[in-house]
Amino acid sequence: MKDIYSYSAFLLGILEGIENMKLYELYPLTAIVGQEDMKLALILNVINPSLGGVLIRGEKGTAKSTAVRALAEIIPPIPTEYEESSESLKVIDLPISATEDRVVGTIDVEHAIKTGEKKFESGILAEAHRNILYVDEINLLEDHIVDVLLDAAAMGVNVVEREGISYSHPARFILVGTMNPEEGDLRPQLLDRFALSVDVYGEKDVSLRMEVIKRRLQFEADPFSFIESYKNEQQQLRLTVLQARENLKAIKITDDLIEIAAKISILSEVEGHRSDITMIKTAMTIAAFENRIMVEVDDLRRAASLVLPHRLKRKPFENRTFDSTVIDSVLESYQIMK
């Protein structure tokens, strides 16, 4: 009997340890110092999942994965017409070693032939439905796997076909990829499929770096109290996102701003029309986030800085960077014309 009690206590200790570990990982999003563009890009995608995901590029130790997991804890899952939930988003990790079958799922062809019934074993895309699909070091993922992810993200449906047998299921998720550019980049065709991109760096301001250190030490010393101290800010952000989702249905934008978006894309020499459309949708989402109905010029400016940098055409070995003066010149001419 004593052994049973000891074993039960041992199991409870493990479970408590797991819960503590889970809590330990949940550094509050509102406690992250700086990295405003990264936080904004993530928030915009959970307000408007149809944007198409975000690629976060930057050096190690810049809170990339911390921000993704922190965001999930305070935001409800992606709403659908038939599915509502008051729970929080989940972060579904996709390892870079994952096979295509593990990602999209598999059809048991033998079972289908014998019984005439489809038997589908779901993959990571099914798990990610209405949640965040997170790929760390996405630049190291095989290109055909990235293609599958982006196709599913764009269509909201995962289609699996094997030996003439087809199966499909909903796959509406927010794709978040993080990477260190020093370890290689994605092909331009794949870069263009991400709605937004952000380059993150370590803080250069001494006072901000000090604040990063202090908050981290406080969190490690007493994660429970630290998380509790940001409870109100976290709740306010959640309510703001929920309100923004409602605002998005009524957002209006003028033809003048649509014309500006087109001119900015042309002068930036980006290919296709995806950048124009994404720029407008992003500007509308920014307005919704700030609890406004009309899109303003500054919304378009901020949207362009998130939409265009990773879409710039680069020649081999060319390190072309985004030039914000293009946006300023177009907006200045617009102001003059007004």
Side-chain angles (χ1 to χ4, degrees):
M1 183 66 71
K2 183 178 180 181
D3 290 340
I4 293 175
Y5 284 128
S6 299
Y7 184 65
S8 298
F10 173 71
L11 289 178
L12 288 173
I14 291 177
L15 292 173
E16 184 178 352
I18 292 173
E19 288 301 311
N20 289 342
M21 186 180 299
K22 180 182 177 183
L23 177 67
Y24 184 80
E25 292 175 349
L26 305 184
Y27 192 90
L29 182 68
T30 53
I32 295 176
V33 178
Q35 310 298 8
E36 299 303 327
D37 285 345
M38 175 175 66
K39 289 186 284 190
L40 176 63
L42 289 168
I43 290 170
L44 294 179
N45 269 275
V46 297
I47 292 172
N48 186 2
S50 70
L51 284 179
V54 57
L55 177 65
I56 306 172
R57 302 182 292 191
E59 55 199 33
K60 298 175 181 177
T62 47
K64 297 188 294 293
S65 60
T66 299
V68 175
R69 300 185 190 287
L71 179 70
E73 284 303 310
I74 57 172
I75 306 299
I78 299 171
T80 70
E81 184 178 354
Y82 304 106
E83 300 170 283
E84 294 291 341
S85 175
S86 59
E87 298 177 359
S88 296
L89 278 167
K90 296 177 183 177
V91 176
I92 307 300
D93 291 281
L94 191 153
I96 58 175
S97 60
T99 63
E100 184 171 347
D101 282 348
R102 176 69 187 98
V103 174
V104 303
T106 59
I107 297 173
D108 190 332
V109 177
E110 184 178 353
H111 178 83
I113 293 173
K114 287 182 178 179
T115 66
E117 298 176 352
K118 295 179 183 179
K119 183 179 180 183
F120 180 71
E121 295 182 6
S122 61
I124 293 174
L125 292 183
E127 298 174 36
H129 179 52
R130 302 183 66 223
N131 292 295
I132 293 175
L133 180 58
Y134 177 53
V135 189
D136 191 19
E137 297 183 321
I138 192 170
N139 52 320
L140 303 182
L141 197 64
E142 293 185 25
D143 283 350
H144 76 280
I145 299 293
V146 180
D147 279 325
V148 167
L149 296 180
L150 293 170
D151 285 342
M155 296 186 299
V157 177
N158 177 41
V159 180
V160 185
E161 295 182 343
R162 296 288 187 276
E163 305 296 332
I165 301 172
S166 178
Y167 182 88
S168 64
H169 65 79
R172 294 188 61 207
F173 55 85
I174 300 166
L175 179 61
V176 179
T178 55
M179 56 176 279
N180 185 344
E182 295 177 357
E183 299 172 349
D185 211 338
L186 290 171
R187 289 187 287 118
Q189 298 92 326
L190 298 178
L191 284 172
D192 181 53
R193 300 280 294 280
F194 278 95
L196 312 179
S197 76
V198 180
D199 292 312
V200 295
Y201 307 93
E203 295 291 347
K204 303 302 180 185
D205 183 273
V206 173
S207 61
L208 290 178
R209 290 184 79 100
M210 289 176 62
E211 187 62 24
V212 170
I213 297 169
K214 288 179 180 179
R215 291 189 187 184
R216 189 66 199 187
L217 292 176
Q218 291 170 3
F219 176 69
E220 292 183 358
D222 189 349
F224 294 93
S225 297
F226 186 84
I227 291 172
E228 185 65 23
S229 68
Y230 284 90
K231 183 177 180 179
N232 290 339
E233 292 180 48
Q234 296 280 93
Q235 179 63 13
Q236 184 56 53
L237 178 57
R238 181 185 179 97
L239 294 175
T240 301
V241 168
L242 291 174
Q243 181 60 54
R245 284 180 175 176
E246 289 298 314
N247 294 343
L248 197 58
K249 303 171 185 176
I251 296 296
K252 298 177 181 179
I253 186 167
T254 65
D255 285 349
D256 285 341
L257 292 183
I258 294 176
E259 182 181 354
I260 289 174
K263 287 181 177 178
I264 289 173
S265 291
I266 292 170
L267 292 175
S268 299
E269 299 179 345
V270 294
E271 297 179 343
H273 300 287
R274 186 175 282 125
S275 61
D276 313 50
I277 296 169
T278 305
M279 199 187 312
I280 293 299
K281 290 173 66 176
T282 303
M284 294 173 71
T285 309
I286 290 173
F289 181 46
E290 298 191 347
N291 202 25
R292 286 183 278 104
I293 300 301
M294 291 297 300
V295 177
E296 299 176 356
V297 171
D298 193 56
D299 299 331
L300 202 58
R301 184 198 306 273
R302 295 166 68 188
S305 68
L306 296 172
V307 169
L308 295 178
H310 61 298
R311 291 186 164 90
L312 298 178
K313 289 196 295 185
R314 294 178 175 85
K315 297 177 182 178
F317 308 109
E318 180 185 20
N319 186 26
R320 184 185 175 194
T321 56
F322 177 64
D323 186 2
S324 61
T325 59
V326 171
I327 302 175
D328 295 334
S329 64
V330 175
L331 293 180
E332 185 178 346
S333 65
Y334 168 74
Q335 296 292 347
I336 292 173
M337 287 189 296
K338 286 191 69 178

